[in-house]
Amino acid sequence: MSDTNGTVLVTGGTGFLGGWCIASLLQRGYEVRTTVRDRGREQAVRDAVAAAGAADGSRLSVHAADLTSDAGWTDAVAGCRYVLHVASPFPPVQPKDPDELIVPARDGALRVLGAALDAGVERVVMTSSIAAIRSDRESSTSAPYTEADWTDGDDSSGTPYVRSKTLAEQAAWEHVRAAGAEARLATINPGAIIGPALNDDHSYSLQAIQRLVDGMPAAPRLGFTFVDVRDVADLHILAMTDPAAGAQRFIATDEFLWMAEVAAVLRERLGDAARKVPTRTAPNLLIRAMAIFDPSVRSVIGDLGKRSWFSSEKARSTLGWTPRPVGDSIEECARSLL
């Protein structure tokens, strides 16, 4: 396919979603640029994109730029028609100082957005999260969270990650409103992203599947609203090109499953390869005790036993988005990790 579509910048090319976005764009015939903090990671990006099935990497170029610095962004966006701002910090352990996450997420989004608007980019699609949507009100099957809901980013009881996603997205919308350029921004708010891993650099959502496959003693009473990484990449591209997506947020979620239900899918689909997957559910008290010693467990304590409902109807009806069955995503994710 020839390049009739223009050039797209994807920030965060070393990430799980970034890699799939790059591959999806290349498969659709776009010229693609991506940014990395360290040029030494270029080969890792190319290997991941090849693993995603984009055999021809000749239309991919790699630029050095960091969310914490102005350097490199003007060159990275020059001549681009679209920008997918996917890069955002997501540490395995929440920092004690929330600003360690909030500042690079918020300031980085404003750097990318400012450079893109100055360069005449037609649309920026920014990856946010359902973390920025889960407001104080109770959700239910009849009244799920929608794009009209917002998390309180100033609530200091929220985790640094939740606050960083919320404040970064709010800052982006404030920036385009002030610039009179709202139609040039769209945001995607995905749930827990799973699917085929491209390398050994696993996101937090993939680690949840990995721990089940590796044989944790029992599944915690935690649940996630899952979505396939390939479907999230597709939604970014739909929002990038569809005029109806301008100035809009889109929730990207499919189905909520408890970890015990994920474990059941793994046992059903993987057979002997799932022999270590736990069959029991861990008492909340045990998980709370583990959190004393394991900082990575500590950040999810507040979600034990809690379920939230989100509606992705807007993405489906406005953009024609159709995510694949979550059971297929869980199976393919696990097989890639194995």
Side-chain angles (χ1 to χ4, degrees), residues 43 87 182-183 190 209 231 255 261 279 297 304 306 337:
Q43 192 56 49
E182 274 189 282
I209 307 291
D231 297 324
E255 189 177 350
E261 294 175 307
T279 57
V297 175
L304 284 171
K306 292 184 180 178
L337 295 172

PDB file of all heavy atoms in Angstrom, residues 43 87 182-183 190 209 231 255 261 279 297 304 306 337:
ATOM      1  N   GLN A  43      16.141  -0.586  18.082  1.00  0.00           N
ATOM      2  CA  GLN A  43      16.009  -1.956  17.606  1.00  0.00           C
ATOM      3  C   GLN A  43      14.914  -2.694  18.367  1.00  0.00           C
ATOM      4  O   GLN A  43      14.196  -3.523  17.794  1.00  0.00           O
ATOM      5  CB  GLN A  43      17.333  -2.710  17.729  1.00  0.00           C
ATOM      6  CG  GLN A  43      17.345  -4.051  16.988  1.00  0.00           C
ATOM      7  CD  GLN A  43      16.997  -3.905  15.510  1.00  0.00           C
ATOM      8  OE1 GLN A  43      17.546  -3.062  14.800  1.00  0.00           O
ATOM      9  NE2 GLN A  43      16.046  -4.727  15.039  1.00  0.00           N
ATOM     10  N   ALA A  87       2.408   7.663  25.061  1.00  0.00           N
ATOM     11  CA  ALA A  87       3.393   7.545  26.140  1.00  0.00           C
ATOM     12  C   ALA A  87       2.874   8.146  27.436  1.00  0.00           C
ATOM     13  O   ALA A  87       2.335   9.247  27.455  1.00  0.00           O
ATOM     14  CB  ALA A  87       4.686   8.250  25.736  1.00  0.00           C
ATOM     15  N   GLU A 182     -10.399  22.643  20.111  1.00  0.00           N
ATOM     16  CA  GLU A 182     -10.951  21.427  20.718  1.00  0.00           C
ATOM     17  C   GLU A 182     -11.155  20.296  19.713  1.00  0.00           C
ATOM     18  O   GLU A 182     -10.949  19.129  20.027  1.00  0.00           O
ATOM     19  CB  GLU A 182     -12.279  21.743  21.412  1.00  0.00           C
ATOM     20  CG  GLU A 182     -12.129  22.233  22.831  1.00  0.00           C
ATOM     21  CD  GLU A 182     -13.460  22.324  23.545  1.00  0.00           C
ATOM     22  OE1 GLU A 182     -14.186  23.303  23.299  1.00  0.00           O
ATOM     23  OE2 GLU A 182     -13.776  21.426  24.342  1.00  0.00           O
ATOM     24  N   ALA A 183     -11.566  20.645  18.491  1.00  0.00           N
ATOM     25  CA  ALA A 183     -11.847  19.616  17.485  1.00  0.00           C
ATOM     26  C   ALA A 183     -10.588  18.888  17.034  1.00  0.00           C
ATOM     27  O   ALA A 183     -10.675  17.855  16.369  1.00  0.00           O
ATOM     28  CB  ALA A 183     -12.536  20.240  16.272  1.00  0.00           C
ATOM     29  N   PRO A 190      -9.006   3.695  27.950  1.00  0.00           N
ATOM     30  CA  PRO A 190      -9.115   2.232  27.999  1.00  0.00           C
ATOM     31  C   PRO A 190      -9.154   1.685  29.420  1.00  0.00           C
ATOM     32  O   PRO A 190      -8.706   2.335  30.377  1.00  0.00           O
ATOM     33  CB  PRO A 190      -7.857   1.759  27.268  1.00  0.00           C
ATOM     34  CG  PRO A 190      -6.885   2.877  27.439  1.00  0.00           C
ATOM     35  CD  PRO A 190      -7.660   4.141  27.604  1.00  0.00           C
ATOM     36  N   ILE A 209      -2.085 -11.382  34.332  1.00  0.00           N
ATOM     37  CA  ILE A 209      -2.228 -12.683  33.666  1.00  0.00           C
ATOM     38  C   ILE A 209      -1.006 -13.547  33.948  1.00  0.00           C
ATOM     39  O   ILE A 209      -1.115 -14.748  34.220  1.00  0.00           O
ATOM     40  CB  ILE A 209      -2.403 -12.495  32.142  1.00  0.00           C
ATOM     41  CG1 ILE A 209      -3.539 -11.521  31.827  1.00  0.00           C
ATOM     42  CG2 ILE A 209      -2.616 -13.843  31.460  1.00  0.00           C
ATOM     43  CD1 ILE A 209      -4.909 -11.999  32.128  1.00  0.00           C
ATOM     44  N   ASP A 231      -7.566  -3.817  19.788  1.00  0.00           N
ATOM     45  CA  ASP A 231      -8.799  -3.048  19.660  1.00  0.00           C
ATOM     46  C   ASP A 231      -8.601  -1.610  20.138  1.00  0.00           C
ATOM     47  O   ASP A 231      -9.204  -0.675  19.591  1.00  0.00           O
ATOM     48  CB  ASP A 231      -9.922  -3.721  20.451  1.00  0.00           C
ATOM     49  CG  ASP A 231     -10.251  -5.109  19.922  1.00  0.00           C
ATOM     50  OD1 ASP A 231     -10.190  -5.288  18.686  1.00  0.00           O
ATOM     51  OD2 ASP A 231     -10.547  -6.008  20.725  1.00  0.00           O
ATOM     52  N   GLU A 255     -15.312  -6.251  28.789  1.00  0.00           N
ATOM     53  CA  GLU A 255     -16.026  -7.000  29.821  1.00  0.00           C
ATOM     54  C   GLU A 255     -15.271  -6.974  31.145  1.00  0.00           C
ATOM     55  O   GLU A 255     -14.044  -7.076  31.174  1.00  0.00           O
ATOM     56  CB  GLU A 255     -16.192  -8.455  29.349  1.00  0.00           C
ATOM     57  CG  GLU A 255     -17.104  -9.291  30.227  1.00  0.00           C
ATOM     58  CD  GLU A 255     -17.294 -10.698  29.671  1.00  0.00           C
ATOM     59  OE1 GLU A 255     -16.886 -10.958  28.524  1.00  0.00           O
ATOM     60  OE2 GLU A 255     -17.848 -11.536  30.400  1.00  0.00           O
ATOM     61  N   GLU A 261     -12.417 -15.461  37.592  1.00  0.00           N
ATOM     62  CA  GLU A 261     -13.041 -15.766  36.297  1.00  0.00           C
ATOM     63  C   GLU A 261     -11.985 -15.826  35.198  1.00  0.00           C
ATOM     64  O   GLU A 261     -12.082 -16.658  34.275  1.00  0.00           O
ATOM     65  CB  GLU A 261     -14.100 -14.709  35.982  1.00  0.00           C
ATOM     66  CG  GLU A 261     -15.289 -14.728  36.922  1.00  0.00           C
ATOM     67  CD  GLU A 261     -16.274 -13.605  36.665  1.00  0.00           C
ATOM     68  OE1 GLU A 261     -15.835 -12.430  36.640  1.00  0.00           O
ATOM     69  OE2 GLU A 261     -17.469 -13.895  36.493  1.00  0.00           O
ATOM     70  N   THR A 279      -6.982 -22.279  41.707  1.00  0.00           N
ATOM     71  CA  THR A 279      -8.413 -22.617  41.697  1.00  0.00           C
ATOM     72  C   THR A 279      -9.134 -21.979  42.878  1.00  0.00           C
ATOM     73  O   THR A 279     -10.357 -22.023  42.957  1.00  0.00           O
ATOM     74  CB  THR A 279      -8.606 -24.144  41.758  1.00  0.00           C
ATOM     75  OG1 THR A 279      -7.940 -24.641  42.928  1.00  0.00           O
ATOM     76  CG2 THR A 279      -8.022 -24.811  40.525  1.00  0.00           C
ATOM     77  N   VAL A 297       1.517  -4.792  45.608  1.00  0.00           N
ATOM     78  CA  VAL A 297       0.183  -5.222  46.053  1.00  0.00           C
ATOM     79  C   VAL A 297      -0.540  -4.060  46.734  1.00  0.00           C
ATOM     80  O   VAL A 297      -1.762  -3.915  46.633  1.00  0.00           O
ATOM     81  CB  VAL A 297       0.293  -6.429  47.016  1.00  0.00           C
ATOM     82  CG1 VAL A 297      -1.075  -6.810  47.587  1.00  0.00           C
ATOM     83  CG2 VAL A 297       0.909  -7.624  46.297  1.00  0.00           C
ATOM     84  N   LEU A 304     -10.035  -4.047  46.259  1.00  0.00           N
ATOM     85  CA  LEU A 304     -10.456  -5.402  46.634  1.00  0.00           C
ATOM     86  C   LEU A 304     -11.974  -5.489  46.761  1.00  0.00           C
ATOM     87  O   LEU A 304     -12.601  -4.711  47.481  1.00  0.00           O
ATOM     88  CB  LEU A 304      -9.806  -5.818  47.958  1.00  0.00           C
ATOM     89  CG  LEU A 304      -8.335  -6.229  47.913  1.00  0.00           C
ATOM     90  CD1 LEU A 304      -7.793  -6.406  49.323  1.00  0.00           C
ATOM     91  CD2 LEU A 304      -8.156  -7.518  47.103  1.00  0.00           C
ATOM     92  N   LYS A 306     -14.266  -4.665  44.802  1.00  0.00           N
ATOM     93  CA  LYS A 306     -15.054  -3.598  44.189  1.00  0.00           C
ATOM     94  C   LYS A 306     -15.221  -3.816  42.691  1.00  0.00           C
ATOM     95  O   LYS A 306     -14.292  -4.221  42.013  1.00  0.00           O
ATOM     96  CB  LYS A 306     -14.387  -2.240  44.430  1.00  0.00           C
ATOM     97  CG  LYS A 306     -14.407  -1.792  45.884  1.00  0.00           C
ATOM     98  CD  LYS A 306     -13.803  -0.398  46.017  1.00  0.00           C
ATOM     99  CE  LYS A 306     -13.822   0.071  47.470  1.00  0.00           C
ATOM    100  NZ  LYS A 306     -13.191   1.411  47.614  1.00  0.00           N
ATOM    101  N   LEU A 337       2.697 -15.042  26.649  1.00  0.00           N
ATOM    102  CA  LEU A 337       3.533 -14.986  27.842  1.00  0.00           C
ATOM    103  C   LEU A 337       4.223 -16.333  28.097  1.00  0.00           C
ATOM    104  O   LEU A 337       5.353 -16.387  28.581  1.00  0.00           O
ATOM    105  CB  LEU A 337       2.690 -14.605  29.062  1.00  0.00           C
ATOM    106  CG  LEU A 337       2.084 -13.193  29.034  1.00  0.00           C
ATOM    107  CD1 LEU A 337       1.128 -12.994  30.194  1.00  0.00           C
ATOM    108  CD2 LEU A 337       3.176 -12.129  29.043  1.00  0.00           C
TER     109      LEU A 337
END
